[in-house]
């Protein structure tokens, strides 16, 4: 058992014991390390001013991913290399990304600039080719209020389209060896007073620790829990971070299902989900910004029980099951049965999600899912609709239809499902009963995102749109962009 966390910083191992579990990475940087180049804007993961980059071994390859330091716990650095804005320039000059930002006039007041440069640094170290779409996507989690994005995008295209060649590439082998040496397979328990930050290394170790401390807070990516710290000033004295658990971040594909470990990040889930259906890929691309996708996990998204979480409706429509573990006991539960009431899930004290088993779309069926939000990128849904329609020729044999944002939980539209069975794709009039049935399935609420009437209308329109697309076999008439044909982004 290790009683400290360890991470790599500027080529050296930093070891911290006696850890206050609530310390965010941003507080550590600004108040303890005094690296104040990383800024605090919103303190809720939206503006990207606090973006830093973490290097981690993915398999045996070093991968650089941007994260929001304001909603990441310091303890989550364990086993990673941390790169901040102070580390990019060398005595010989600025980093190529910084050079391009200067040359293209990509900064005015400069407040957003460190975060933008760090997002571009991660893009610079990512896959090639890099297109304008990829640049826009990489910057969706960074707000700039004064420069305007044109010069920033031009700087990115100038810097990030050629093969990466910088000091980080030159010392890559050394960094990889240092990170491999940090991966000691030990459970971590860093205590301070009555509190602790624990990072178990195995599933059995979490099961034992969580059973003994069922009031502790589980943390996966911390993109939700982090807001409890920064906005609610919650006292989370005992935290169990799942990010070191071996195997909990694996993706296993079988002939009928995709099994995602609970800590698979949205960034890594995207490719596998996109392979099941392009709409799932686009849903994941629109999930937060890259920083949120790099930290946030599939298990955390379902466990938080949000009625407007994006994954739940899509996965319910596909017929997903959860594997939950409590001590030695493992049980399977249909995802739709996990959500009992607003923010109340079927999860006993000491129980956690270990895997999310996504059934692949059935042969001969059509799948569609749509997210409706005020902004296209980096926004939470007002309504999310998912439709899995089994066909017999031009007749609808059955359908699984699920919505988010329409009730206190993500929920199936059972009245609409019953009403659409036997309808014909060639007769839109036969869809009417299902559209009307939605008003029996849901009594939506009004809030800042949308009025109840808007939600009810959008839910009908999404079902109509899905059936129209499935009937025509195309998407162009119904979409602003032809997203189902867009190539995979370089993430
Ligand atoms: C700026 C921003 C943008 C966002 N955009 C979106 C969006 O577009 N769509 C969307 O759906 N959400 C969005 N979110 C919400 C959030 O990012 C997601 O819900 C994310 O998937 C949460 O995962 P996490 O790993 O960070 O969870 P955490 O914050 O670590 O945990 C969330 C909750 O789940 C519990 N938990 C975590 N893992 C487990 C487990 N394995 N078993 C049991 N309990 C567990 C935790 O105790 C906690 O209660 C956004 C958040 C932010 C800050
Ligand atoms: S300060 Fe805005 S995302 Fe962190
Ligand atoms: S340069 Fe001022 S906010 Fe971007």
């Amino acid at each position: 058992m290790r009683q400290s966390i360890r991470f790599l910083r500027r080529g050296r191992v930093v070891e911290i014991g006696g850890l206050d579990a609530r310390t965010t990475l941003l507080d550590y940087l600004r108040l303890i390390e005094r690296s104040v180049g990383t800024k605090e804007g919103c303190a809720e993961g939206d503006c990207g001013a606090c973006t830093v980059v973490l290097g981690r071994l993915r398999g045996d390859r070093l991968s650089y991913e941007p994260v929001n330091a304001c909603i990441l716990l310091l303890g989550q650095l364990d086993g990673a290399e941390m790169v901040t804005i102070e580390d990019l320039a060398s005595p010989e000059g600025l980093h190529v990304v910084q050079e391009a930002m200067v040359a293209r006039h990509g900064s005015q007041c400069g407040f957003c600039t460190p975060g933008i440069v760090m997002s571009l640094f991660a893009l610079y170290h990512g896959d090639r080719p890099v297109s304008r779409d990829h640049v826009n996507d990489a910057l969706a989690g960074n707000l700039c209020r004064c420069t305007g994005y044109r010069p920033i995008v031009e700087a990115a295209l100038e810097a990030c389209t050629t093969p990466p060649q910088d000091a980080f590439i030159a010392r890559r082998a050394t960094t990889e060896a240092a990170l491999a040496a940090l991966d000691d397979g030990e459970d971590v328990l860093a205590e301070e007073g009555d509190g602790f930050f624990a990072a178990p290394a195995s599933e059995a170790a979490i099961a034992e620790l969580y059973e003994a401390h069922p009031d502790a807070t589980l943390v996966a990516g911390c993109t939700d829990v982090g807001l409890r710290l920064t906005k609610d000033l919650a006292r989370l004295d005992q935290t169990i971070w799942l990010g070191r658990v071996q195997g909990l971040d694996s993706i296993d594909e079988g002939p009928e299902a995709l099994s995602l470990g609970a800590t698979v990040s949205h960034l890594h889930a995207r490719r596998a989900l996109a392979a099941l259906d392009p709409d799932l890929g686009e849903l994941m691309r629109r999930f937060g910004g890259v920083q949120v996708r790099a930290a946030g996990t599939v298990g955390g998204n379902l466990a938080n029980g949000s009625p407007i979480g994006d994954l739940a409706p899509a996965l319910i429509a596909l017929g997903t099951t959860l594997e939950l573990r409590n001590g030695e006991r493992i049980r399977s539960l249909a995802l739709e049965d996990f959500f009992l009431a607003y923010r109340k899930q079927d999860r006993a004290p000491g129980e956690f999600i270990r895997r999310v088993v996504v059934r692949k779309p059935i042969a001969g069926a059509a799948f569609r899912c749509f997210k409706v939000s005020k902004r296209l990128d980096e926004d939470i849904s007002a309504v999310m609709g998912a439709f899995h329609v089994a066909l017999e020729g031009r007749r609808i044999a059955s359908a699984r239809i699920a919505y988010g944002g329409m009730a206190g939980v993500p929920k199936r539209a059972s009245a609409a499902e019953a009403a659409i069975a036997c309808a014909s794709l060639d007769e839109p009039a036969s869809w009417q009963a299902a559209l009307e049935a939605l008003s029996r399935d849901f009594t939506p609420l009004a809030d800042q995102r949308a009025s109840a009437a808007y939600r009810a209308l959008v839910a009908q329109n999404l079902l109509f749109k899905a059936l129209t697309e499935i009937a025509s076999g195309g998407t162009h008439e119904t979409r602003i962009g032809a997203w189902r044909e867009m190539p995979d982004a370089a993430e």
Side-chain angles (χ1 to χ4, degrees), residues 44-46 68 71 210 217-228 242 248 262-263 266 286-289 292 295-304 308-311 347 351-354 371 378-381:
E44 60 182 53
D46 263 316
N68 291 316
I71 51 169
Y210 198 29
T217 304
L218 291 184
V219 173
C222 205
T223 59
D224 283 321
V225 174
L227 271 68
R228 275 194 241 158
L242 307 178
L248 212 59
T263 59
H266 300 305
R286 284 184 55 201
F287 195 113
V292 169
T297 65
V298 168
N301 190 242
L302 301 174
N304 76 18
I308 48 170
D310 282 331
L311 270 179
R347 189 161 73 83
E351 192 170 42
F352 61 94
I353 300 175
R354 63 186 294 273
K371 168 173 176 170
E378 177 74 292
D379 203 358
I380 307 263
S381 303

Side-chain angles (χ1 to χ4, degrees), residues 306-309 313 342 370 372 381-387 401-413 435 437-447 450-462:
S306 167
I308 48 170
Y342 180 69
F370 308 115
V372 176
S381 303
V383 179
M384 157 83 207
F387 312 92
I401 300 174
Y403 284 91
M406 294 292 290
V409 291
K411 187 170 164 286
R412 274 177 83 174
L435 299 180
L438 286 172
S439 65
R440 298 198 295 283
D441 282 316
F442 300 109
T443 312
L445 289 176
D447 62 15
S451 67
Y454 174 85
R455 286 194 157 104
L457 183 61
V458 164
Q460 286 197 341
N461 289 348
L462 293 185

Side-chain angles (χ1 to χ4, degrees), residues 15 26 90 123 125 144 182 184 217 227 234 242 244 249 260 271 284 287 297 336 375 414 454 479:
E15 183 148 9
L26 186 61
S90 67
L123 183 70
H125 281 276
C144 175
L182 286 184
D184 58 4
T217 304
L227 271 68
L242 307 178
R244 285 186 77 247
D249 62 350
L260 302 168
R271 212 173 282 265
M284 298 311 281
F287 195 113
T297 65
E336 64 214 67
R375 287 182 312 220
S414 37
Y454 174 85
R479 302 194 184 199

Side-chain angles (χ1 to χ4, degrees), residues 263-387:
T263 59
V264 172
S265 71
H266 300 305
L267 207 59
H268 294 111
R270 177 168 179 251
R271 212 173 282 265
L273 288 171
L276 296 191
D277 188 275
D279 272 9
L280 288 171
E282 174 59 0
L283 178 71
M284 298 311 281
R285 193 200 65 76
R286 284 184 55 201
F287 195 113
V290 182
Q291 296 93 325
V292 169
R293 299 202 288 276
T297 65
V298 168
N301 190 242
L302 301 174
N304 76 18
S306 167
I308 48 170
D310 282 331
L311 270 179
L315 298 189
I316 287 174
L318 286 171
T320 295
T321 50
L322 295 181
E323 279 179 17
L324 295 134
R325 177 164 178 170
N326 198 347
E328 294 290 311
R329 188 173 155 252
I330 295 176
R331 66 177 172 128
S332 280
L333 180 69
L335 178 57
E336 64 214 67
D337 296 334
F338 180 61
F339 304 105
L340 300 176
Y342 180 69
R343 297 278 185 187
K344 185 169 167 28
Q345 290 80 254
D346 183 357
R347 189 161 73 83
E351 192 170 42
F352 61 94
I353 300 175
R354 63 186 294 273
R355 298 202 77 80
V356 178
V357 183
V358 184
R359 214 163 57 201
K360 294 183 176 178
I362 50 177
F367 179 81
R368 293 291 188 278
C369 66
F370 308 115
K371 168 173 176 170
V372 176
S373 54
K374 289 192 172 167
R375 287 182 312 220
L376 187 69
D377 288 313
E378 177 74 292
D379 203 358
I380 307 263
S381 303
V383 179
M384 157 83 207
F387 312 92

Side-chain angles (χ1 to χ4, degrees), residues 44-64:
E44 60 182 53
D46 263 316
C47 75
C50 64
T51 304
V52 303
V53 166
L54 298 187
R56 287 194 195 276
L57 285 181
R58 302 285 179 202
D60 51 7
R61 182 167 169 256
L62 176 60
S63 161
Y64 283 115

